Amino acid sequence: MIDLALDNVDRALYWRAWNHHARGALADARGDIEDALRRRRSEEILTLAGIIAHDQDDLEAARRNLTEARRMGQGSNCRAEWYLGSVLVKQRQWKDAAPTFEAAMTCYAIDVRARENAIRTLEEKAGIDPVFRQSRIARLRSEIELQRRQHLAAAFNAANGYAQSGDLEKARPFIDVAAADPDLSDEIDELRRHMAAVAAARRARGLMSQ
């Protein structure tokens, strides 16, 4: 399909890049996705291009592509939100990373609600093959669990971004949200210690200036 240069060659290049990326062949993935980008700058292609560039630590290219994909998604492209936040963390742009992960939180929450609504529709709709219904609901529930965990991880990353930028008060409610995931307990404890140390240092400076 790719060699024939058909109208949908960008889709073929996208999926070949996706497969290369999935098996860790980043150079091959980058070549295909850049070729796809030259043909069409769709939200889907830009998102994968940004993710591949992120994984290669080509942060400026990643930021550029993910920012454009995020703009196209208008709040619905959770992967672009997440990876753009990760790019900003790598660049130590904490003030920008924190609200980006906050936006990712919102995106994942909306996605979870949409999948929950899809389950209710499947449960209520008559005339659906029961095997298909059961299979689709099971898949949706698995996806909901993954998206909920991403929501909580995004909350932790937002908290970390606000804390690293010095806004301890804004970080605290996001820590409370992230604490719902027990797998994040060690990271949360470490962040709380960091915030306590920063707060103590600020109090000490205040006393010294009196």
Side-chain angles (χ1 to χ4, degrees):
M1 183 183 295
I2 293 173
D3 293 336
L4 290 175
L6 301 177
D7 289 342
N8 60 347
V9 68
D10 58 292
R11 294 289 300 156
L13 286 163
Y14 170 86
W15 283 112
R16 193 166 73 176
W18 192 94
N19 287 324
H20 284 318
H21 179 255
R23 61 184 179 83
L26 295 182
D28 291 337
R30 183 70 177 268
D32 278 344
I33 204 65
E34 291 290 344
D35 197 1
L37 271 176
R38 283 189 287 271
R39 297 166 184 273
R40 183 175 303 175
R41 297 184 69 81
S42 69
E43 181 184 346
E44 185 178 48
I45 291 172
L46 283 160
T47 300
L48 183 57
I51 292 170
I52 292 167
H54 164 278
D55 292 350
Q56 290 183 311
D57 284 327
D58 186 352
L59 300 182
E60 286 305 319
R63 186 170 181 172
R64 182 172 59 253
N65 289 327
L66 290 166
T67 297
E68 189 173 350
R70 182 192 193 196
R71 178 186 59 78
M72 290 180 177
Q74 299 181 325
S76 66
N77 191 334
C78 304
R79 295 184 79 207
E81 302 276 9
W82 174 273
Y83 275 94
L84 180 57
S86 182
V87 167
L88 294 166
V89 167
K90 288 187 174 190
Q91 294 179 322
R92 304 186 71 79
Q93 301 292 316
W94 302 112
K95 288 185 178 180
D96 292 329
T100 302
F101 277 115
E102 188 176 351
M105 279 181 66
T106 301
C107 183
Y108 286 121
I110 291 171
D111 186 87
V112 165
R113 287 196 294 272
R115 293 173 197 272
E116 288 172 339
N117 288 337
I119 288 175
R120 282 192 288 272
T121 298
L122 284 167
E123 289 173 337
E124 296 168 1
K125 190 171 183 179
I128 298 178
D129 177 76
V131 174
F132 170 80
R133 188 201 311 267
Q134 183 178 8
S135 173
R136 182 61 182 146
I137 288 174
R139 181 174 177 177
L140 284 165
R141 284 176 175 157
S142 176
E143 291 167 349
I144 285 169
E145 179 60 26
L146 288 173
Q147 298 299 75
R148 281 178 174 158
R149 291 177 69 87
Q150 285 295 102
H151 171 80
L152 297 176
F156 173 79
N157 288 335
N160 185 55
Y162 284 123
Q164 295 295 338
S165 67
D167 195 340
L168 303 186
E169 287 305 312
K170 201 157 188 179
R172 289 191 176 96
F174 293 101
I175 292 178
D176 293 340
V177 173
D181 186 348
D183 290 341
L184 293 173
S185 59
D186 290 344
E187 290 88 345
I188 289 170
D189 288 345
E190 183 178 350
L191 181 56
R192 282 177 168 153
R193 286 193 294 270
H194 165 76
M195 291 171 62
V198 170
R202 288 176 178 176
R203 288 194 297 270
R205 285 197 298 271
L207 289 172
M208 290 174 63
S209 65
Q210 292 177 3

